[in-house]
Amino acid sequence: MRQANQQFSSILTKIGNGERLDEIEISLIESSFHSVEEAATMFPQGIRLFNTNHAVTQYNNQILNSYTEKIISTAKDVYSGCTSKEQETFVHQKLHKMSLIDTNGLPYQTTFVVNIYYMITTNIDVSDGLANGAVGKLVHVETDNNGVVTIA
């Protein structure tokens, strides 16, 4: 996407090149800063940038938990190759301690809220546009009679 504002575009280029900004450029950038409360009011659907994955998770959970109409889908674990109940319990405990990196980005629970935007955080089918960073609005969740999310 190209920036229509030439001055702002120039500032972004300098930042990208690691160049020092002058006082006027710094003032222009700082004039766009907003408090968390202002951002929530002025830009409710805006994308937020965080410096840690933990901060992202906290923010996402706060937003998702604020909705009363939501569907929480819990993974159904299937263990193959276990020869005893003890071994299955051990594998189960180990699995639930794994990070999202180790599970290819698949969380144990996913909260679905219709009519809000989600960002894909892993490549699913790049040729179909289902790639890391793609954003889309969730418009439908298919569930069975018990409210459990179904797989098509």
Side-chain angles (χ1 to χ4, degrees), residues 16-135:
N17 291 337
E19 298 174 25
R20 191 173 294 275
L21 301 180
D22 64 34
E23 291 299 319
I24 294 171
E25 293 166 329
I26 291 172
S27 293
L28 180 63
I29 293 293
E30 287 179 347
S31 71
S32 298
F33 289 179
H34 297 282
S35 69
V36 172
E37 294 78 17
E38 290 170 330
T41 301
M42 297 167 60
F43 315 104
Q45 301 297 325
I47 299 218
R48 271 77 168 154
L49 301 177
F50 297 93
N51 62 342
T52 66
N53 289 336
H54 180 70
V56 171
T57 300
Q58 279 187 310
Y59 176 78
N60 288 343
N61 288 339
Q62 175 189 347
I63 295 301
L64 292 171
N65 289 329
S66 71
Y67 288 89
T68 55
E69 292 192 34
K70 59 186 169 237
I71 299 169
I72 298 174
S73 179
T74 302
K76 291 184 176 51
D77 301 323
V78 177
Y79 307 104
S80 59
C82 294
T83 57
S84 67
K85 191 67 175 165
E86 293 78 24
Q87 190 178 31
E88 187 175 310
T89 301
F90 172 77
V91 170
H92 176 81
Q93 289 172 343
K94 188 170 182 171
L95 173 66
H96 289 265
K97 291 180 183 177
M98 294 174 78
S99 71
L100 286 178
I101 292 170
D102 296 326
T103 61
N104 289 327
L106 298 172
Y108 181 64
Q109 285 189 325
T110 302
T111 303
F112 295 108
V113 178
V114 175
N115 291 322
I116 69 166
Y117 289 87
Y118 285 81
M119 178 183 285
I120 295 174
T121 57
T122 188
N123 290 331
I124 298 168
D125 185 349
V126 177
S127 65
D128 200 23
L130 300 175
N132 186 13
V135 176

Side-chain angles (χ1 to χ4, degrees), residues 134-148:
V135 176
K137 188 178 198 180
L138 181 63
V139 295
H140 178 74
V141 178
E142 191 169 317
T143 60
D144 64 16
N145 292 336
N146 297 320
V148 175

